[in-house]
Amino acid sequence: MVEMTQSRGPGRPRSERSRRAVLAAARDLLTDRGLPGLSMDEIATHAGVSKNTIYRWWPTKAAVLMDAFTDAFADRMSVPAEGDALTRLRTTVRRVATLMSDTDARRPFVALVAAAQHDPELAAALRDRFIAGRRAEVGELLADARSAGRLPAGLDPDTAIDLIYGALYYRLLVSGETIDSGYADRILTAMGLLPD
Protein backbone atom coordinates (compact mmCIF):
# COMPACT_ATOMS: atom_id res chain seq x y z
CA MET A 1 0.00 0.00 0.00
CA VAL A 2 2.80 2.43 0.90
CA GLU A 3 4.64 1.54 -2.28
CA MET A 4 1.58 2.36 -4.41
CA THR A 5 1.27 5.80 -2.82
CA GLN A 6 4.96 6.53 -3.35
CA SER A 7 4.88 5.33 -6.97
CA ARG A 8 2.28 7.97 -7.83
CA GLY A 9 4.93 10.67 -7.51
CA PRO A 10 5.52 13.42 -4.98
CA GLY A 11 2.66 15.83 -4.37
CA ARG A 12 -0.22 13.94 -5.93
CA PRO A 13 -1.64 12.37 -2.76
CA ARG A 14 -1.27 15.69 -0.94
CA SER A 15 -3.06 17.52 -3.78
CA GLU A 16 -5.98 15.09 -3.66
CA ARG A 17 -6.16 15.52 0.11
CA SER A 18 -6.24 19.29 -0.38
CA ARG A 19 -8.99 19.02 -2.99
CA ARG A 20 -11.06 16.85 -0.65
CA ALA A 21 -10.43 19.27 2.25
CA VAL A 22 -11.72 22.17 0.12
CA LEU A 23 -14.89 20.26 -0.79
CA ALA A 24 -15.51 19.31 2.85
CA ALA A 25 -14.87 22.88 4.03
CA ALA A 26 -17.26 24.32 1.45
CA ARG A 27 -19.98 21.83 2.47
CA ASP A 28 -19.49 22.50 6.18
CA LEU A 29 -19.54 26.27 5.81
CA LEU A 30 -22.55 26.22 3.50
CA THR A 31 -24.51 23.96 5.86
CA ASP A 32 -23.48 25.75 9.08
CA ARG A 33 -23.90 29.36 8.06
CA GLY A 34 -25.44 29.54 4.61
CA LEU A 35 -24.20 31.15 1.46
CA PRO A 36 -24.45 34.92 2.05
CA GLY A 37 -21.00 36.33 2.66
CA LEU A 38 -19.24 33.00 2.28
CA SER A 39 -15.89 33.73 0.66
CA MET A 40 -13.05 31.84 -0.97
CA ASP A 41 -10.85 33.12 1.88
CA GLU A 42 -13.09 31.40 4.45
CA ILE A 43 -13.14 28.17 2.47
CA ALA A 44 -9.35 28.25 2.14
CA THR A 45 -8.87 28.94 5.86
CA HIS A 46 -11.33 26.23 6.90
CA ALA A 47 -9.67 23.74 4.53
CA GLY A 48 -6.13 24.69 5.56
CA VAL A 49 -5.06 25.54 2.00
CA SER A 50 -4.23 28.66 0.03
CA LYS A 51 -6.67 30.42 -2.27
CA ASN A 52 -4.34 29.53 -5.14
CA THR A 53 -4.89 25.85 -4.36
CA ILE A 54 -8.65 26.36 -4.68
CA TYR A 55 -8.32 28.27 -7.96
CA ARG A 56 -6.18 25.44 -9.35
CA TRP A 57 -9.35 23.29 -9.51
CA TRP A 58 -12.26 25.73 -9.57
CA PRO A 59 -12.71 29.01 -11.45
CA THR A 60 -15.30 30.44 -9.03
CA LYS A 61 -16.77 30.06 -5.57
CA ALA A 62 -19.99 28.88 -7.23
CA ALA A 63 -18.14 26.02 -8.93
CA VAL A 64 -16.57 24.97 -5.60
CA LEU A 65 -19.95 24.93 -3.87
CA MET A 66 -21.68 22.96 -6.61
CA ASP A 67 -18.88 20.39 -6.73
CA ALA A 68 -18.94 20.15 -2.93
CA PHE A 69 -22.65 19.34 -3.02
CA THR A 70 -22.36 16.94 -5.96
CA ASP A 71 -19.33 15.19 -4.49
CA ALA A 72 -21.21 14.54 -1.26
CA PHE A 73 -24.50 13.36 -2.71
CA ALA A 74 -24.17 12.30 -6.36
CA ASP A 75 -23.79 8.61 -5.53
CA ARG A 76 -27.13 8.72 -3.72
CA MET A 77 -28.85 10.00 -6.89
CA SER A 78 -27.09 7.73 -9.35
CA VAL A 79 -28.95 5.82 -12.04
CA PRO A 80 -28.76 2.07 -11.42
CA ALA A 81 -27.02 0.00 -14.10
CA GLU A 82 -29.38 -2.98 -13.92
CA GLY A 83 -33.00 -3.36 -14.97
CA ASP A 84 -35.23 -2.08 -17.74
CA ALA A 85 -35.40 1.67 -18.38
CA LEU A 86 -38.64 2.37 -16.49
CA THR A 87 -37.54 0.39 -13.43
CA ARG A 88 -34.26 2.31 -13.44
CA LEU A 89 -36.20 5.57 -13.82
CA ARG A 90 -38.38 4.69 -10.83
CA THR A 91 -35.32 3.88 -8.70
CA THR A 92 -33.61 7.11 -9.75
CA VAL A 93 -36.62 9.33 -8.96
CA ARG A 94 -37.08 7.53 -5.63
CA ARG A 95 -33.41 8.15 -4.78
CA VAL A 96 -33.73 11.86 -5.55
CA ALA A 97 -36.93 12.11 -3.48
CA THR A 98 -35.29 10.33 -0.55
CA LEU A 99 -32.26 12.59 -0.76
CA MET A 100 -34.44 15.71 -0.80
CA SER A 101 -36.00 14.61 2.47
CA ASP A 102 -32.58 14.19 4.13
CA THR A 103 -31.75 17.33 6.13
CA ASP A 104 -28.01 16.98 5.46
CA ALA A 105 -28.66 17.27 1.72
CA ARG A 106 -31.79 19.41 1.80
CA ARG A 107 -30.31 22.40 3.67
CA PRO A 108 -27.27 23.01 1.45
CA PHE A 109 -29.25 22.36 -1.74
CA VAL A 110 -32.02 24.79 -0.77
CA ALA A 111 -29.33 27.36 0.12
CA LEU A 112 -27.71 26.91 -3.30
CA VAL A 113 -31.01 27.18 -5.18
CA ALA A 114 -32.08 30.24 -3.18
CA ALA A 115 -28.76 32.01 -3.69
CA ALA A 116 -28.76 31.16 -7.40
CA GLN A 117 -31.82 33.39 -7.84
CA HIS A 118 -29.60 36.42 -7.18
CA ASP A 119 -26.22 35.15 -8.37
CA PRO A 120 -25.93 34.49 -12.13
CA GLU A 121 -22.58 32.72 -11.68
CA LEU A 122 -24.04 30.32 -9.14
CA ALA A 123 -27.16 29.82 -11.29
CA ALA A 124 -24.94 28.82 -14.22
CA ALA A 125 -22.94 26.43 -12.01
CA LEU A 126 -26.16 24.89 -10.70
CA ARG A 127 -27.41 24.30 -14.26
CA ASP A 128 -24.08 23.16 -15.72
CA ARG A 129 -22.57 21.17 -12.86
CA PHE A 130 -25.70 19.60 -11.39
CA ILE A 131 -29.00 19.90 -13.24
CA ALA A 132 -27.68 19.17 -16.73
CA GLY A 133 -26.28 15.81 -15.63
CA ARG A 134 -29.51 14.74 -13.92
CA ARG A 135 -31.56 15.73 -16.96
CA ALA A 136 -29.25 13.88 -19.34
CA GLU A 137 -29.45 10.67 -17.29
CA VAL A 138 -33.25 10.71 -17.08
CA GLY A 139 -33.48 11.69 -20.76
CA GLU A 140 -31.51 8.59 -21.70
CA LEU A 141 -33.82 6.39 -19.62
CA LEU A 142 -36.90 7.87 -21.29
CA ALA A 143 -35.34 7.44 -24.73
CA ASP A 144 -34.50 3.80 -23.93
CA ALA A 145 -38.05 3.13 -22.69
CA ARG A 146 -39.51 4.75 -25.81
CA SER A 147 -37.21 2.68 -28.06
CA ALA A 148 -38.36 -0.46 -26.24
CA GLY A 149 -42.00 0.43 -26.96
CA ARG A 150 -42.79 1.13 -23.29
CA LEU A 151 -43.69 4.79 -23.88
CA PRO A 152 -45.66 6.61 -26.58
CA ALA A 153 -43.53 7.61 -29.56
CA GLY A 154 -44.73 11.21 -29.19
CA LEU A 155 -43.58 11.59 -25.58
CA ASP A 156 -41.55 14.79 -25.18
CA PRO A 157 -38.65 13.85 -22.87
CA ASP A 158 -37.86 17.45 -21.88
CA THR A 159 -41.43 18.07 -20.74
CA ALA A 160 -41.53 14.74 -18.89
CA ILE A 161 -38.29 15.64 -17.07
CA ASP A 162 -39.70 19.08 -16.19
CA LEU A 163 -42.83 17.45 -14.74
CA ILE A 164 -40.85 14.93 -12.66
CA TYR A 165 -38.28 17.32 -11.22
CA GLY A 166 -40.68 20.27 -11.13
CA ALA A 167 -42.98 18.32 -8.81
CA LEU A 168 -40.08 17.38 -6.52
CA TYR A 169 -38.62 20.90 -6.46
CA TYR A 170 -42.06 22.41 -5.79
CA ARG A 171 -42.40 20.37 -2.61
CA LEU A 172 -38.77 21.03 -1.66
CA LEU A 173 -38.80 24.78 -2.22
CA VAL A 174 -42.42 25.94 -2.02
CA SER A 175 -45.00 23.76 -0.29
CA GLY A 176 -42.75 21.96 2.20
CA GLU A 177 -44.90 18.84 1.92
CA THR A 178 -43.43 15.38 2.36
CA ILE A 179 -41.05 14.10 -0.30
CA ASP A 180 -40.47 10.35 -0.21
CA SER A 181 -40.41 7.27 -2.42
CA GLY A 182 -44.22 7.05 -2.26
CA TYR A 183 -44.51 10.56 -3.67
CA ALA A 184 -41.99 9.67 -6.39
CA ASP A 185 -44.21 6.72 -7.35
CA ARG A 186 -47.32 8.94 -7.44
CA ILE A 187 -45.59 11.36 -9.82
CA LEU A 188 -44.61 8.54 -12.18
CA THR A 189 -48.06 6.92 -11.94
CA ALA A 190 -49.78 10.21 -12.80
CA MET A 191 -47.52 10.48 -15.87
CA GLY A 192 -48.02 6.84 -16.91
CA LEU A 193 -44.33 6.13 -16.34
CA LEU A 194 -44.46 3.60 -13.51
CA PRO A 195 -43.10 0.24 -14.61
CA ASP A 196 -45.49 -2.74 -14.80
Side-chain angles (χ1 to χ4, degrees):
M1 195 86 152
V2 173
E3 290 175 13
M4 283 176 51
T5 302
Q6 289 174 343
S7 69
R8 293 174 65 189
R12 279 185 75 191
R14 189 170 354 119
S15 294
E16 180 58 20
R17 278 195 299 276
S18 296
R19 192 181 76 79
R20 288 238 161 269
V22 170
L23 293 174
R27 267 192 313 273
D28 292 347
L29 290 168
L30 180 64
T31 301
D32 291 347
R33 49 183 294 276
L35 193 66
L38 181 60
S39 70
M40 288 290 233
D41 286 324
E42 285 179 290
I43 295 170
T45 299
H46 196 77
V49 301
S50 70
K51 270 203 310 188
N52 287 339
T53 297
I54 296 176
Y55 283 116
R56 192 175 306 145
W57 287 295
W58 298 278
T60 64
K61 177 179 73 172
V64 177
L65 294 171
M66 283 314 311
D67 283 0
F69 179 82
T70 303
D71 182 70
F73 301 110
D75 62 324
R76 292 174 57 189
M77 294 181 285
S78 62
V79 174
E82 301 297 320
D84 66 85
L86 289 182
T87 300
R88 293 166 61 211
L89 174 66
R90 179 186 192 191
T91 301
T92 301
V93 176
R94 283 174 147 220
R95 285 177 178 175
V96 172
T98 300
L99 186 65
M100 285 182 171
S101 67
D102 179 340
T103 305
D104 289 340
R106 182 184 193 113
R107 286 181 60 208
F109 186 64
V110 168
L112 288 169
V113 172
Q117 306 312 302
H118 309 287
D119 184 334
E121 201 171 75
L122 182 58
L126 181 64
R127 284 190 304 271
D128 298 343
R129 297 173 100 87
F130 181 75
I131 294 173
R134 309 286 82 74
R135 289 186 70 90
E137 290 171 344
V138 172
E140 284 181 29
L141 293 174
L142 292 171
D144 289 350
R146 192 170 54 190
S147 295
R150 304 279 311 274
L151 296 175
L155 177 84
D156 176 16
D158 285 331
T159 301
I161 293 166
D162 288 346
L163 292 170
I164 293 167
Y165 285 113
L168 293 170
Y169 290 151
Y170 179 79
R171 284 200 171 194
L172 176 70
L173 301 170
V174 179
S175 76
E177 291 182 55
T178 301
I179 305 170
D180 57 19
S181 57
Y183 180 60
D185 285 353
R186 292 194 300 278
I187 295 169
L188 296 175
T189 298
M191 296 176 64
L193 299 177
L194 201 64
D196 300 329

